Each structure stands twice: as structure tokens, then as C-alpha cells.
Amino acid sequence: MKGIIYKDLYETFRIKMHPASWIFSIMLILASALIFRSRYIFILNALLTLPSLGVAALEYSTEQDEIARFDRIQTTFPVSVHEIVLAKYFSGILLTLMGAFVSLLFLLLYVYVFKLISMAEALPVLWLGTIIGLVFLSVGYAGYFLMGYKRGTVLYICTLLVLAALYIILFFLFGTDDLIRFSGAMPHIVGILLAVGILLGSFKISCAAYKRRHG
């Protein structure tokens, strides 16, 4: 199981094109934060852009597995289907936590350097972004296991576009102040329990899909 995690992380960070896309994404986020210093950009990055990075681990590994047909070879390893799928989810959760850490750095930048938002306002946004990241990971991973790399990537992009459009609509309807108050009012325990429940459901769906495709 550890070997699968190491393989997925290796494909995510060591194959040249993949780290380049990561660096480009982070630089683009950083540039938007420095050029457009506003609460709108902070919330956009904390709620959508950075939480979406967790799906990248399975996106990259699925692409490489399908090219090399490694997913079929993987079933001959002395590990169960649950362990294979769990290893891939663990890689995604690691990247989601990395996105949350980068969001924390942006939070400190906006609170102490730009002074555009208070810590009391920013922390609920960061927490909500982590919850959204887990939900986004659940949807993205279930899509990749059910549909494969190409159609799963289409689902991933469409989901991201829908969430971005929803955020823009909410911004124009309510503004950033109302969005911040809304994120702060969300019961944190209920939110994380809901996200974990969706993640567990996604895991079961992915296990069933993997068994059907390679069983």
C-alpha cells in the first residue's frame, strides 16, 4: 500500500510536466493575490482554486496507469482492492492538506501584510475551503474510478467551472462581506461530518467501480 502511495506521489511531483503545472498554478494564484489585492481573490483562492488541487494526484496517476496499463498489473499485487483505492485516496488527502497549508500562507498574507481581512473572518473561510476540498476530492475521485482518465478529467473541469460560476453569482448577489459572514455561520462540526460522509460514500463507489473494471 505504501508503494502505491509513493508511486502516485512520484508521478505527481517527479514527472517533468506535472511539477511544472503545479508551479504554474501556484505562481498564477500568487500573482492574482499580489496584483488583485481584494477579499474576492482571497475567498476565490481559499474556497475553490487551492482546494481543487487535491484531485491532481489521481488525475496524474490515472493518466500514467492507463498509458502503461499498470492498473491491471496492480491487481496482481498482494494487496486488496480496498487497499489500492485507499492508497490513492490517501494521496489525494495529502494534496488537499497541502492546498490548505498554502491557503494558510495566503491567509497570513492577507491578514498581516495586506490587512484586508481579520483573522476572525479569514479562519472560517479557510475551514470552509478545506471542507469544499474534501467534497471536491470525493466527486473527482469517484469520477476517475467510474469513467477513467479522459471522461473523469472532463467531469473534474466541469465541476470546477460550475463551482466557479456559482461563486461569481453569489458574489454579485451578496458581496464578499455576506459571503464571509455566511462561511463563519456554518456549523463547523456539521460541515466536516458531511464532508467525511461524502468522502466515505465516494470511497465505496470507487471500490465497486475498480472491482467492476478490473475484477
Side-chain angles (χ1 to χ4, degrees):
M1 185 169 156
K2 288 182 180 179
I4 297 173
I5 296 173
Y6 293 151
K7 178 194 75 70
D8 290 348
L9 294 179
Y10 177 88
E11 290 171 344
T12 302
F13 293 107
R14 296 302 299 273
I15 295 177
K16 291 183 179 180
M17 184 180 68
H18 297 162
S21 65
W22 265 80
I23 294 172
F24 176 77
S25 299
I26 297 299
M27 293 299 292
L28 190 61
I29 294 170
L30 179 60
S32 69
L34 294 175
I35 296 172
F36 306 104
R37 300 182 184 183
S38 67
R39 290 184 170 201
Y40 171 83
I41 293 298
F42 168 73
I43 298 174
L44 177 65
N45 287 330
L47 290 187
L48 294 178
T49 311
L50 290 168
S52 69
L53 296 179
V55 185
L58 189 61
E59 177 189 358
Y60 297 148
S61 66
T62 301
E63 179 187 15
Q64 297 302 317
D65 287 352
E66 289 189 1
I67 291 174
R69 296 186 178 180
F70 184 77
D71 48 351
R72 293 184 180 275
I73 300 173
Q74 200 165 231
T75 57
T76 64
F77 291 177
V79 289
S80 66
V81 168
H82 281 74
E83 289 174 322
I84 293 173
V85 177
L86 181 61
K88 293 184 176 296
Y89 270 73
F90 186 78
S91 301
I93 291 172
L94 281 179
L95 292 191
T96 299
L97 293 177
M98 286 178 59
F101 177 74
V102 177
S103 292
L104 177 61
L105 297 181
F106 277 94
L107 181 151
L108 297 176
L109 181 68
Y110 271 79
V111 171
Y112 294 111
V113 179
F114 297 161
K115 300 185 185 300
L116 291 172
I117 191 172
S118 68
M119 182 65 75
E121 292 173 321
L123 283 176
V125 176
L126 180 64
W127 180 259
L128 182 59
T130 303
I131 294 174
I132 290 175
L134 291 176
V135 174
F136 196 82
L137 184 145
S138 302
V139 174
Y141 269 43
Y144 277 111
F145 277 103
L146 283 168
M147 298 183 290
Y149 172 70
K150 291 183 179 179
R151 288 183 292 175
T153 300
V154 172
L155 175 65
Y156 166 73
I157 294 173
C158 289
T159 304
L160 185 59
L161 291 175
V162 168
L163 290 175
L166 180 62
Y167 172 73
I168 293 172
I169 292 171
L170 290 175
F171 169 75
F172 282 108
L173 289 177
F174 300 104
T176 54
D177 290 339
D178 287 334
L179 287 176
I180 289 173
R181 283 194 290 269
F182 174 77
S183 67
M186 174 178 286
H188 291 176
I189 294 178
V190 173
I192 195 64
L193 288 178
L194 180 62
V196 171
I198 294 173
L199 187 65
L200 291 175
S202 170
F203 175 74
K204 290 183 178 180
I205 292 172
S206 298
C207 287
Y210 196 91
K211 286 180 181 178
R212 186 176 70 250
R213 289 166 65 95
H214 306 293

